[in-house]
Amino acid sequence: MKNKIKVFRAEQGWSQQVLADKLGVSRQAVNAIEREKHDPSLQLAFDIAYVFNANIEDVFFPETK
Amino acid sequence: MKNKIKVFRAEQGWSQQVLADKLGVSRQAVNAIEREKHDPSLQLAFDIAYVFNANIEDVFFPETK
DNA sequence: TCTAAAGGTAAGGTAAACATTACATATTGT
DNA sequence: ACAATATGTAATGTTTACCTTACCTTTAGA
């Protein structure tokens, strides 16, 4: 699953640790999702979109099936 | 995580089995998600929204955090 | 009413999304 | 240059989102 977390995060000037703290997850979780090692849960995807004031569809891009 | 899968499914007149087949998952998976026993993966949430011609935000409703 | 389809649920297994800890490298500020 | 911060990554463990099989109850059609 492609995502633009790094772009949104850079716009806010937040480190992975700062974002992780806002989300209540570990920095490694943010890092793994950002580098697309795995997908976030649906709840976490909502949380991520929320902290960036965006919709899930603005941040995450599934393969068209 | 609240969702309106049953409503969307009823609109289309699809059984859980039919929806499961369209999604490529088991009927039990659809049943468990629909009854909110657990959340779908982000990919499956996208797939569900897609088959209903909707956005994720139209189908799934996280607790505001 | 009888039968078939639909839906609910339980047991048991696998894979992946988290966690924590730890360490190495890269980047940035003074 | 040095120190502090940021990032990448590995090991190991837990939880949960799936799976299959199976069985029971409910609903709907002939």
PDB file of all heavy atoms in Angstrom, chain A residues 9 14-31 44 47-48 51, chain B residues 65, chain C residues 19-20, chain D residues 6:
ATOM      1  N   ARG A   9       4.225  14.479   6.904  1.00  0.00           N
ATOM      2  CA  ARG A   9       5.032  14.666   8.097  1.00  0.00           C
ATOM      3  C   ARG A   9       6.029  15.811   7.896  1.00  0.00           C
ATOM      4  O   ARG A   9       6.210  16.666   8.787  1.00  0.00           O
ATOM      5  CB  ARG A   9       5.757  13.354   8.421  1.00  0.00           C
ATOM      6  CG  ARG A   9       6.433  13.321   9.771  1.00  0.00           C
ATOM      7  CD  ARG A   9       6.873  11.921  10.139  1.00  0.00           C
ATOM      8  NE  ARG A   9       7.817  11.340   9.182  1.00  0.00           N
ATOM      9  CZ  ARG A   9       9.108  11.653   9.118  1.00  0.00           C
ATOM     10  NH1 ARG A   9       9.609  12.547   9.935  1.00  0.00           N
ATOM     11  NH2 ARG A   9       9.890  11.061   8.230  1.00  0.00           N
ATOM     12  N   TRP A  14       7.424  17.387  11.535  1.00  0.00           N
ATOM     13  CA  TRP A  14       7.404  16.434  12.646  1.00  0.00           C
ATOM     14  C   TRP A  14       8.382  15.297  12.400  1.00  0.00           C
ATOM     15  O   TRP A  14       8.420  14.745  11.299  1.00  0.00           O
ATOM     16  CB  TRP A  14       5.999  15.818  12.809  1.00  0.00           C
ATOM     17  CG  TRP A  14       4.927  16.783  13.203  1.00  0.00           C
ATOM     18  CD1 TRP A  14       5.097  18.018  13.765  1.00  0.00           C
ATOM     19  CD2 TRP A  14       3.514  16.594  13.053  1.00  0.00           C
ATOM     20  NE1 TRP A  14       3.882  18.607  13.978  1.00  0.00           N
ATOM     21  CE2 TRP A  14       2.885  17.751  13.550  1.00  0.00           C
ATOM     22  CE3 TRP A  14       2.720  15.564  12.553  1.00  0.00           C
ATOM     23  CZ2 TRP A  14       1.512  17.906  13.563  1.00  0.00           C
ATOM     24  CZ3 TRP A  14       1.357  15.707  12.564  1.00  0.00           C
ATOM     25  CH2 TRP A  14       0.747  16.873  13.072  1.00  0.00           C
ATOM     26  N   SER A  15       9.108  14.901  13.420  1.00  0.00           N
ATOM     27  CA  SER A  15       9.940  13.694  13.333  1.00  0.00           C
ATOM     28  C   SER A  15       9.029  12.466  13.436  1.00  0.00           C
ATOM     29  O   SER A  15       7.856  12.577  13.819  1.00  0.00           O
ATOM     30  CB  SER A  15      10.965  13.663  14.458  1.00  0.00           C
ATOM     31  OG  SER A  15      10.312  13.475  15.698  1.00  0.00           O
ATOM     32  N   GLN A  16       9.568  11.297  13.120  1.00  0.00           N
ATOM     33  CA  GLN A  16       8.801  10.060  13.265  1.00  0.00           C
ATOM     34  C   GLN A  16       8.382   9.878  14.722  1.00  0.00           C
ATOM     35  O   GLN A  16       7.269   9.414  15.001  1.00  0.00           O
ATOM     36  CB  GLN A  16       9.639   8.862  12.795  1.00  0.00           C
ATOM     37  CG  GLN A  16       9.878   8.849  11.284  1.00  0.00           C
ATOM     38  CD  GLN A  16      10.720   7.667  10.824  1.00  0.00           C
ATOM     39  OE1 GLN A  16      11.310   6.950  11.649  1.00  0.00           O
ATOM     40  NE2 GLN A  16      10.790   7.445   9.522  1.00  0.00           N
ATOM     41  N   GLN A  17       9.275  10.258  15.627  1.00  0.00           N
ATOM     42  CA  GLN A  17       8.969  10.114  17.052  1.00  0.00           C
ATOM     43  C   GLN A  17       7.807  11.011  17.463  1.00  0.00           C
ATOM     44  O   GLN A  17       6.916  10.577  18.211  1.00  0.00           O
ATOM     45  CB  GLN A  17      10.212  10.466  17.881  1.00  0.00           C
ATOM     46  CG  GLN A  17      10.002  10.288  19.384  1.00  0.00           C
ATOM     47  CD  GLN A  17       9.812   8.838  19.773  1.00  0.00           C
ATOM     48  OE1 GLN A  17      10.737   8.039  19.671  1.00  0.00           O
ATOM     49  NE2 GLN A  17       8.612   8.467  20.203  1.00  0.00           N
ATOM     50  N   VAL A  18       7.808  12.236  16.982  1.00  0.00           N
ATOM     51  CA  VAL A  18       6.720  13.167  17.305  1.00  0.00           C
ATOM     52  C   VAL A  18       5.397  12.632  16.767  1.00  0.00           C
ATOM     53  O   VAL A  18       4.377  12.618  17.476  1.00  0.00           O
ATOM     54  CB  VAL A  18       7.017  14.581  16.728  1.00  0.00           C
ATOM     55  CG1 VAL A  18       5.771  15.453  16.763  1.00  0.00           C
ATOM     56  CG2 VAL A  18       8.150  15.240  17.522  1.00  0.00           C
ATOM     57  N   LEU A  19       5.413  12.171  15.533  1.00  0.00           N
ATOM     58  CA  LEU A  19       4.191  11.604  14.942  1.00  0.00           C
ATOM     59  C   LEU A  19       3.736  10.373  15.723  1.00  0.00           C
ATOM     60  O   LEU A  19       2.544  10.220  16.037  1.00  0.00           O
ATOM     61  CB  LEU A  19       4.418  11.242  13.473  1.00  0.00           C
ATOM     62  CG  LEU A  19       3.255  10.553  12.770  1.00  0.00           C
ATOM     63  CD1 LEU A  19       1.961  11.383  12.854  1.00  0.00           C
ATOM     64  CD2 LEU A  19       3.594  10.245  11.306  1.00  0.00           C
ATOM     65  N   ALA A  20       4.695   9.515  16.067  1.00  0.00           N
ATOM     66  CA  ALA A  20       4.380   8.308  16.837  1.00  0.00           C
ATOM     67  C   ALA A  20       3.705   8.675  18.160  1.00  0.00           C
ATOM     68  O   ALA A  20       2.712   8.046  18.545  1.00  0.00           O
ATOM     69  CB  ALA A  20       5.647   7.503  17.096  1.00  0.00           C
ATOM     70  N   ASP A  21       4.232   9.702  18.829  1.00  0.00           N
ATOM     71  CA  ASP A  21       3.653  10.140  20.099  1.00  0.00           C
ATOM     72  C   ASP A  21       2.229  10.652  19.899  1.00  0.00           C
ATOM     73  O   ASP A  21       1.338  10.351  20.696  1.00  0.00           O
ATOM     74  CB  ASP A  21       4.517  11.226  20.738  1.00  0.00           C
ATOM     75  CG  ASP A  21       5.859  10.681  21.228  1.00  0.00           C
ATOM     76  OD1 ASP A  21       5.992   9.446  21.339  1.00  0.00           O
ATOM     77  OD2 ASP A  21       6.767  11.492  21.491  1.00  0.00           O
ATOM     78  N   LYS A  22       2.008  11.402  18.848  1.00  0.00           N
ATOM     79  CA  LYS A  22       0.667  11.914  18.574  1.00  0.00           C
ATOM     80  C   LYS A  22      -0.312  10.772  18.319  1.00  0.00           C
ATOM     81  O   LYS A  22      -1.496  10.864  18.657  1.00  0.00           O
ATOM     82  CB  LYS A  22       0.679  12.846  17.357  1.00  0.00           C
ATOM     83  CG  LYS A  22       1.362  14.188  17.605  1.00  0.00           C
ATOM     84  CD  LYS A  22       1.403  15.039  16.333  1.00  0.00           C
ATOM     85  CE  LYS A  22       2.188  16.340  16.556  1.00  0.00           C
ATOM     86  NZ  LYS A  22       1.525  17.258  17.512  1.00  0.00           N
ATOM     87  N   LEU A  23       0.201   9.696  17.706  1.00  0.00           N
ATOM     88  CA  LEU A  23      -0.649   8.562  17.340  1.00  0.00           C
ATOM     89  C   LEU A  23      -0.765   7.539  18.478  1.00  0.00           C
ATOM     90  O   LEU A  23      -1.645   6.677  18.444  1.00  0.00           O
ATOM     91  CB  LEU A  23      -0.083   7.865  16.100  1.00  0.00           C
ATOM     92  CG  LEU A  23      -0.074   8.703  14.818  1.00  0.00           C
ATOM     93  CD1 LEU A  23       0.734   8.012  13.734  1.00  0.00           C
ATOM     94  CD2 LEU A  23      -1.497   8.972  14.343  1.00  0.00           C
ATOM     95  N   GLY A  24       0.157   7.620  19.430  1.00  0.00           N
ATOM     96  CA  GLY A  24       0.152   6.636  20.500  1.00  0.00           C
ATOM     97  C   GLY A  24       0.672   5.280  20.074  1.00  0.00           C
ATOM     98  O   GLY A  24       0.261   4.243  20.591  1.00  0.00           O
ATOM     99  N   VAL A  25       1.596   5.266  19.101  1.00  0.00           N
ATOM    100  CA  VAL A  25       2.244   4.027  18.676  1.00  0.00           C
ATOM    101  C   VAL A  25       3.749   4.222  18.761  1.00  0.00           C
ATOM    102  O   VAL A  25       4.232   5.325  19.041  1.00  0.00           O
ATOM    103  CB  VAL A  25       1.838   3.618  17.237  1.00  0.00           C
ATOM    104  CG1 VAL A  25       0.338   3.383  17.141  1.00  0.00           C
ATOM    105  CG2 VAL A  25       2.306   4.641  16.215  1.00  0.00           C
ATOM    106  N   SER A  26       4.507   3.158  18.521  1.00  0.00           N
ATOM    107  CA  SER A  26       5.959   3.243  18.610  1.00  0.00           C
ATOM    108  C   SER A  26       6.535   3.940  17.370  1.00  0.00           C
ATOM    109  O   SER A  26       5.903   3.958  16.305  1.00  0.00           O
ATOM    110  CB  SER A  26       6.560   1.846  18.722  1.00  0.00           C
ATOM    111  OG  SER A  26       6.389   1.144  17.505  1.00  0.00           O
ATOM    112  N   ARG A  27       7.722   4.489  17.532  1.00  0.00           N
ATOM    113  CA  ARG A  27       8.403   5.109  16.393  1.00  0.00           C
ATOM    114  C   ARG A  27       8.667   4.079  15.300  1.00  0.00           C
ATOM    115  O   ARG A  27       8.559   4.386  14.106  1.00  0.00           O
ATOM    116  CB  ARG A  27       9.739   5.701  16.868  1.00  0.00           C
ATOM    117  CG  ARG A  27      10.558   6.341  15.769  1.00  0.00           C
ATOM    118  CD  ARG A  27      11.873   6.870  16.286  1.00  0.00           C
ATOM    119  NE  ARG A  27      12.793   5.825  16.721  1.00  0.00           N
ATOM    120  CZ  ARG A  27      13.562   5.109  15.892  1.00  0.00           C
ATOM    121  NH1 ARG A  27      13.522   5.328  14.594  1.00  0.00           N
ATOM    122  NH2 ARG A  27      14.353   4.181  16.361  1.00  0.00           N
ATOM    123  N   GLN A  28       8.964   2.844  15.698  1.00  0.00           N
ATOM    124  CA  GLN A  28       9.225   1.788  14.716  1.00  0.00           C
ATOM    125  C   GLN A  28       7.988   1.479  13.890  1.00  0.00           C
ATOM    126  O   GLN A  28       8.090   1.164  12.702  1.00  0.00           O
ATOM    127  CB  GLN A  28       9.721   0.516  15.406  1.00  0.00           C
ATOM    128  CG  GLN A  28      11.166   0.557  15.887  1.00  0.00           C
ATOM    129  CD  GLN A  28      11.343   1.362  17.154  1.00  0.00           C
ATOM    130  OE1 GLN A  28      10.383   1.918  17.691  1.00  0.00           O
ATOM    131  NE2 GLN A  28      12.550   1.445  17.662  1.00  0.00           N
ATOM    132  N   ALA A  29       6.825   1.583  14.515  1.00  0.00           N
ATOM    133  CA  ALA A  29       5.576   1.355  13.781  1.00  0.00           C
ATOM    134  C   ALA A  29       5.407   2.420  12.705  1.00  0.00           C
ATOM    135  O   ALA A  29       5.086   2.101  11.554  1.00  0.00           O
ATOM    136  CB  ALA A  29       4.390   1.355  14.737  1.00  0.00           C
ATOM    137  N   VAL A  30       5.636   3.678  13.076  1.00  0.00           N
ATOM    138  CA  VAL A  30       5.554   4.763  12.089  1.00  0.00           C
ATOM    139  C   VAL A  30       6.564   4.542  10.967  1.00  0.00           C
ATOM    140  O   VAL A  30       6.238   4.651   9.780  1.00  0.00           O
ATOM    141  CB  VAL A  30       5.805   6.130  12.759  1.00  0.00           C
ATOM    142  CG1 VAL A  30       6.032   7.226  11.718  1.00  0.00           C
ATOM    143  CG2 VAL A  30       4.633   6.498  13.664  1.00  0.00           C
ATOM    144  N   ASN A  31       7.781   4.208  11.358  1.00  0.00           N
ATOM    145  CA  ASN A  31       8.846   3.993  10.368  1.00  0.00           C
ATOM    146  C   ASN A  31       8.478   2.888   9.383  1.00  0.00           C
ATOM    147  O   ASN A  31       8.629   3.049   8.166  1.00  0.00           O
ATOM    148  CB  ASN A  31      10.152   3.651  11.104  1.00  0.00           C
ATOM    149  CG  ASN A  31      11.326   3.481  10.156  1.00  0.00           C
ATOM    150  OD1 ASN A  31      11.555   2.399   9.640  1.00  0.00           O
ATOM    151  ND2 ASN A  31      12.057   4.555   9.908  1.00  0.00           N
ATOM    152  N   LEU A  44      -5.687   2.862  12.852  1.00  0.00           N
ATOM    153  CA  LEU A  44      -4.484   3.695  12.810  1.00  0.00           C
ATOM    154  C   LEU A  44      -4.452   4.538  11.540  1.00  0.00           C
ATOM    155  O   LEU A  44      -4.019   5.699  11.569  1.00  0.00           O
ATOM    156  CB  LEU A  44      -3.238   2.816  12.928  1.00  0.00           C
ATOM    157  CG  LEU A  44      -1.889   3.544  12.987  1.00  0.00           C
ATOM    158  CD1 LEU A  44      -1.869   4.629  14.048  1.00  0.00           C
ATOM    159  CD2 LEU A  44      -0.757   2.550  13.199  1.00  0.00           C
ATOM    160  N   ASP A  47      -6.504   7.431  12.255  1.00  0.00           N
ATOM    161  CA  ASP A  47      -5.791   8.322  13.175  1.00  0.00           C
ATOM    162  C   ASP A  47      -4.735   9.142  12.431  1.00  0.00           C
ATOM    163  O   ASP A  47      -4.557  10.339  12.694  1.00  0.00           O
ATOM    164  CB  ASP A  47      -5.113   7.509  14.285  1.00  0.00           C
ATOM    165  CG  ASP A  47      -6.121   6.838  15.206  1.00  0.00           C
ATOM    166  OD1 ASP A  47      -7.314   7.200  15.154  1.00  0.00           O
ATOM    167  OD2 ASP A  47      -5.717   5.950  15.977  1.00  0.00           O
ATOM    168  N   ILE A  48      -4.023   8.478  11.517  1.00  0.00           N
ATOM    169  CA  ILE A  48      -2.976   9.155  10.752  1.00  0.00           C
ATOM    170  C   ILE A  48      -3.589  10.257   9.891  1.00  0.00           C
ATOM    171  O   ILE A  48      -3.124  11.398   9.893  1.00  0.00           O
ATOM    172  CB  ILE A  48      -2.197   8.142   9.882  1.00  0.00           C
ATOM    173  CG1 ILE A  48      -1.361   7.216  10.786  1.00  0.00           C
ATOM    174  CG2 ILE A  48      -1.312   8.862   8.867  1.00  0.00           C
ATOM    175  CD1 ILE A  48      -0.776   6.003  10.068  1.00  0.00           C
ATOM    176  N   VAL A  51      -4.631  13.287  12.172  1.00  0.00           N
ATOM    177  CA  VAL A  51      -3.595  14.215  12.650  1.00  0.00           C
ATOM    178  C   VAL A  51      -3.069  15.111  11.526  1.00  0.00           C
ATOM    179  O   VAL A  51      -2.535  16.179  11.795  1.00  0.00           O
ATOM    180  CB  VAL A  51      -2.401  13.503  13.346  1.00  0.00           C
ATOM    181  CG1 VAL A  51      -2.870  12.765  14.580  1.00  0.00           C
ATOM    182  CG2 VAL A  51      -1.648  12.603  12.391  1.00  0.00           C
TER     183      VAL A  51
ATOM    184  N   LYS B  65     -11.020  10.254  18.410  1.00  0.00           N
ATOM    185  CA  LYS B  65     -10.014  10.142  19.475  1.00  0.00           C
ATOM    186  C   LYS B  65      -9.404  11.499  19.809  1.00  0.00           C
ATOM    187  O   LYS B  65      -9.258  12.359  19.037  1.00  0.00           O
ATOM    188  CB  LYS B  65      -8.914   9.181  19.034  1.00  0.00           C
ATOM    189  CG  LYS B  65      -9.425   7.743  18.978  1.00  0.00           C
ATOM    190  CD  LYS B  65      -8.353   6.810  18.490  1.00  0.00           C
ATOM    191  CE  LYS B  65      -7.292   6.561  19.543  1.00  0.00           C
ATOM    192  NZ  LYS B  65      -6.288   5.586  19.086  1.00  0.00           N
TER     193      LYS B  65
ATOM    194  P    DA C  19       2.871   0.204  18.372  1.00  0.00           P
ATOM    195  OP1  DA C  19       2.231   1.343  19.056  1.00  0.00           O
ATOM    196  OP2  DA C  19       3.899   0.420  17.343  1.00  0.00           O
ATOM    197  O5'  DA C  19       3.473  -0.796  19.481  1.00  0.00           O
ATOM    198  C5'  DA C  19       2.628  -1.314  20.488  1.00  0.00           C
ATOM    199  C4'  DA C  19       3.416  -2.257  21.377  1.00  0.00           C
ATOM    200  O4'  DA C  19       3.734  -3.442  20.618  1.00  0.00           O
ATOM    201  C3'  DA C  19       4.740  -1.686  21.847  1.00  0.00           C
ATOM    202  O3'  DA C  19       4.653  -1.293  23.205  1.00  0.00           O
ATOM    203  C2'  DA C  19       5.744  -2.809  21.716  1.00  0.00           C
ATOM    204  C1'  DA C  19       5.036  -3.862  20.910  1.00  0.00           C
ATOM    205  N9   DA C  19       5.718  -4.085  19.630  1.00  0.00           N
ATOM    206  C8   DA C  19       5.551  -3.436  18.448  1.00  0.00           C
ATOM    207  N7   DA C  19       6.317  -3.879  17.480  1.00  0.00           N
ATOM    208  C5   DA C  19       7.045  -4.895  18.077  1.00  0.00           C
ATOM    209  C6   DA C  19       8.029  -5.769  17.587  1.00  0.00           C
ATOM    210  N6   DA C  19       8.472  -5.755  16.333  1.00  0.00           N
ATOM    211  N1   DA C  19       8.552  -6.656  18.452  1.00  0.00           N
ATOM    212  C2   DA C  19       8.107  -6.672  19.719  1.00  0.00           C
ATOM    213  N3   DA C  19       7.179  -5.905  20.292  1.00  0.00           N
ATOM    214  C4   DA C  19       6.679  -5.037  19.407  1.00  0.00           C
ATOM    215  P    DT C  20       5.818  -0.341  23.779  1.00  0.00           P
ATOM    216  OP1  DT C  20       5.311   0.129  25.084  1.00  0.00           O
ATOM    217  OP2  DT C  20       6.227   0.611  22.745  1.00  0.00           O
ATOM    218  O5'  DT C  20       7.056  -1.328  24.010  1.00  0.00           O
ATOM    219  C5'  DT C  20       6.911  -2.441  24.870  1.00  0.00           C
ATOM    220  C4'  DT C  20       8.247  -3.171  24.975  1.00  0.00           C
ATOM    221  O4'  DT C  20       8.551  -3.788  23.695  1.00  0.00           O
ATOM    222  C3'  DT C  20       9.423  -2.239  25.292  1.00  0.00           C
ATOM    223  O3'  DT C  20      10.157  -2.782  26.385  1.00  0.00           O
ATOM    224  C2'  DT C  20      10.261  -2.198  24.007  1.00  0.00           C
ATOM    225  C1'  DT C  20       9.883  -3.503  23.319  1.00  0.00           C
ATOM    226  N1   DT C  20       9.915  -3.414  21.843  1.00  0.00           N
ATOM    227  C2   DT C  20      10.688  -4.301  21.131  1.00  0.00           C
ATOM    228  O2   DT C  20      11.372  -5.169  21.653  1.00  0.00           O
ATOM    229  N3   DT C  20      10.650  -4.147  19.769  1.00  0.00           N
ATOM    230  C4   DT C  20       9.930  -3.208  19.061  1.00  0.00           C
ATOM    231  O4   DT C  20       9.965  -3.161  17.835  1.00  0.00           O
ATOM    232  C5   DT C  20       9.130  -2.303  19.874  1.00  0.00           C
ATOM    233  C7   DT C  20       8.302  -1.241  19.202  1.00  0.00           C
ATOM    234  C6   DT C  20       9.166  -2.458  21.198  1.00  0.00           C
TER     235       DT C  20
ATOM    236  P    DA D   6      14.498  14.981  16.711  1.00  0.00           P
ATOM    237  OP1  DA D   6      13.616  16.060  16.232  1.00  0.00           O
ATOM    238  OP2  DA D   6      14.064  14.085  17.804  1.00  0.00           O
ATOM    239  O5'  DA D   6      14.883  14.070  15.472  1.00  0.00           O
ATOM    240  C5'  DA D   6      15.531  14.662  14.355  1.00  0.00           C
ATOM    241  C4'  DA D   6      15.805  13.594  13.316  1.00  0.00           C
ATOM    242  O4'  DA D   6      16.939  12.806  13.734  1.00  0.00           O
ATOM    243  C3'  DA D   6      14.648  12.608  13.104  1.00  0.00           C
ATOM    244  O3'  DA D   6      14.358  12.589  11.725  1.00  0.00           O
ATOM    245  C2'  DA D   6      15.190  11.271  13.625  1.00  0.00           C
ATOM    246  C1'  DA D   6      16.690  11.444  13.493  1.00  0.00           C
ATOM    247  N9   DA D   6      17.500  10.702  14.457  1.00  0.00           N
ATOM    248  C8   DA D   6      17.393  10.741  15.814  1.00  0.00           C
ATOM    249  N7   DA D   6      18.277   9.992  16.443  1.00  0.00           N
ATOM    250  C5   DA D   6      19.016   9.420  15.421  1.00  0.00           C
ATOM    251  C6   DA D   6      20.099   8.522  15.421  1.00  0.00           C
ATOM    252  N6   DA D   6      20.644   8.032  16.538  1.00  0.00           N
ATOM    253  N1   DA D   6      20.600   8.145  14.223  1.00  0.00           N
ATOM    254  C2   DA D   6      20.039   8.638  13.108  1.00  0.00           C
ATOM    255  N3   DA D   6      19.016   9.497  12.981  1.00  0.00           N
ATOM    256  C4   DA D   6      18.552   9.849  14.197  1.00  0.00           C
TER     257       DA D   6
END
